[in-house]
Amino acid sequence: MQAAARLAATTSAQRCGLLAAGQPSAGPALIFRVTGLTSLTGLVGGFERPLCSGSGGCPAANRRQQLLAAPQQPWQQPLLPGTGAWSAAHQQRPIFNFAGLGGDVSKKYHEKKLLGWSPRQVYDVVAAVEHYHKFVPWCQRSVVLLRRPPSYLEAELEVGFQMFVERYTSKVTLQCPSAVHSRVENSTLFSHLINNWEFRLGPTPHTTWLSFDVDFAFKSPLYRHVASVFFEEVVQRMMGAFEGRCAHLYGPSSLQRRPGPVQHAAASGR
């Protein structure tokens, strides 16, 4: 047998048969309405039955008052519609819930690649954080907040995709022209974010061995889920964007102007 039922609440205690007209109501009474009952023999019309009747009071209403009046610990408070505990619990409930993705789930990536520009040229592209919004995927804004020449700066970066927009402050240490190190702390977006770029002279003039390491973890379960699915694709797009910036500023890669395969090594860890 299949049944369709719904609960409806009403503040009229007279529908419970408890109070005569003019008496004050002690609380809302609950009405149980069965809209229909279907069986193999046919359909029975809907009917309405009160859950509380007689002279002994409304058990449902009385129980609600008892729960609200009893001294309880915060984690024992009943979650009843219209109460502060119920409202707070529903306001704090996450929109997305991905089981098994809790905690500080770190993602790591390492890549070593031969590029067709000089170490100083590649360094200048990576160190110019204020220009990231011009070429880095999903970077909508990049502003230097503080400079301490010659080797330290802080920049605010804004990243977004469609309706998701986040900001964070990156602390950058410069070692011209051999390395750029950055870290993110106290961010609502990341539990941590550490980037290390190192630039070494390549085997021929105007070439660079680039070594790149990133270690990060999102605070949001939603972002952690997205990162687990698209992690390597996102990193490859980021690396491609820096190479494209070098080509835009300095011309084609020197590796494209001479024969021989491009040497490339990459490894990722999760």
Side-chain angles (χ1 to χ4, degrees), residues 35-268:
T35 57
L37 190 64
T38 305
S39 67
L40 295 177
T41 58
L43 178 67
V44 179
F47 63 95
E48 191 174 281
R49 179 187 301 171
L51 285 179
C52 40
S53 59
S55 60
C58 180
N62 293 339
R63 178 56 179 163
R64 185 181 191 276
Q65 296 299 324
Q66 293 172 3
L67 288 173
L68 293 175
Q72 294 170 319
Q73 299 297 330
W75 59 85
Q76 295 175 323
Q77 292 179 359
L79 300 183
L80 298 176
T83 67
W86 187 90
S87 300
H90 283 70
Q91 290 173 0
Q92 296 174 5
R93 179 178 298 172
I95 299 176
F96 298 95
N97 183 21
F98 298 97
L101 291 178
D104 185 11
V105 183
S106 179
K107 307 289 291 183
K108 298 180 180 180
Y109 184 88
H110 169 77
E111 181 169 350
K112 184 177 181 181
K113 187 173 184 179
L114 183 64
L115 302 181
W117 299 275
S118 70
R120 181 55 189 262
Q121 289 175 328
V122 181
Y123 167 87
D124 285 343
V125 168
V126 177
V129 182
E130 65 272 21
H131 296 310
Y132 279 12
H133 68 280
K134 298 178 181 179
F135 66 95
V136 175
W138 307 291
C139 183
Q140 300 179 350
R141 183 172 176 268
S142 52
V143 178
V144 173
L145 304 176
L146 171 68
R147 285 190 187 272
R148 293 175 185 167
S151 61
Y152 181 80
L153 66 86
E154 294 182 4
E156 183 181 72
L157 302 176
E158 181 178 286
V159 294
F161 178 74
Q162 294 184 357
M163 62 181 175
F164 300 107
V165 178
E166 300 284 354
R167 292 180 182 176
Y168 62 91
T169 299
S170 181
K171 300 180 179 181
V172 183
T173 302
L174 308 172
Q175 297 176 8
C176 180
S178 60
V180 176
H181 307 287
S182 67
R183 69 186 188 277
V184 175
E185 301 171 346
N186 300 323
S187 166
T188 58
L189 178 60
F190 296 103
S191 296
H192 68 271
L193 171 62
I194 302 171
N195 288 317
N196 292 312
W197 304 78
E198 294 184 355
F199 319 99
R200 298 290 182 267
L201 186 63
T204 57
H206 302 288
T207 62
T208 300
W209 278 114
L210 168 66
S211 180
F212 172 68
D213 292 273
V214 59
D215 180 352
F216 72 96
F218 287 116
K219 287 185 176 180
S220 164
L222 171 60
Y223 293 158
R224 288 200 297 269
H225 176 73
V226 172
S228 67
V229 176
F230 301 106
F231 176 66
E232 293 189 16
E233 178 183 346
V234 169
V235 173
Q236 291 298 326
R237 285 193 61 180
M238 297 284 288
M239 294 296 295
F242 282 93
E243 292 184 56
R245 181 66 172 175
C246 288
H248 174 74
L249 295 177
Y250 310 120
S253 166
S254 63
L255 298 175
Q256 297 176 357
R257 300 193 292 267
R258 62 171 56 94
V262 176
Q263 301 183 49
H264 176 269
S268 64

